[in-house]
Amino acid sequence: MQIPRELEARAQLISGYDYIVSARFHGLVLAILAGVPFMGLGDEPKIVNLCTKFQMPYLSFLSSTPSIQMTVKSFIKRRKANQSSRFIFDRSQLM
């Protein structure tokens, strides 16, 4: 599969995903643009701030959090319980 270069085409490609888990800022932004729920991994302020702003979970490696497996399972369970797996946002929130 060839990955498109254009941002909109990439967002379209992942728009069919149920959720995105990423340790990369741009991966999370792409999930937002595609309207796909996401979970951030890591302790970089930009990851934590983005997840917090969009009320999405993140897994900190520095704090005493549950295991990665437990956190991801909890995230998936919550998403499945939600009737709509998509979320709506105002693009101005990215500014």
Side-chain angles (χ1 to χ4, degrees):
M1 173 175 66
Q2 187 164 345
I3 298 174
R5 295 188 60 137
E6 296 80 22
L7 184 60
E8 291 81 11
R10 287 183 183 199
Q12 179 65 31
L13 181 68
I14 68 164
S15 67
Y17 292 12
D18 292 327
Y19 46 85
I20 300 291
V21 178
S22 180
R24 305 294 298 179
F25 178 79
H26 290 97
L28 300 179
V29 170
L30 193 58
I32 292 166
L33 292 173
V36 177
F38 61 90
M39 182 172 77
L41 301 175
D43 299 290
E44 289 187 46
K46 60 186 176 182
I47 298 290
V48 173
N49 291 338
L50 189 68
C51 291
T52 302
K53 184 171 192 162
F54 286 93
Q55 299 177 343
M56 292 289 163
Y58 65 91
L59 179 63
S60 169
F61 299 129
L62 298 177
S63 65
S64 58
T65 59
S67 73
I68 292 173
Q69 186 177 22
M70 284 179 53
T71 302
V72 172
K73 281 184 179 181
S74 172
F75 174 66
I76 292 169
K77 184 177 179 180
R78 281 191 320 184
R79 298 310 326 161
K80 285 182 178 179
N82 186 353
Q83 292 282 333
S84 169
S85 63
R86 303 285 179 249
F87 67 98
I88 307 297
F89 74 97
D90 177 357
R91 286 180 186 237
S92 67
Q93 290 178 286
L94 293 174
M95 308 300 174

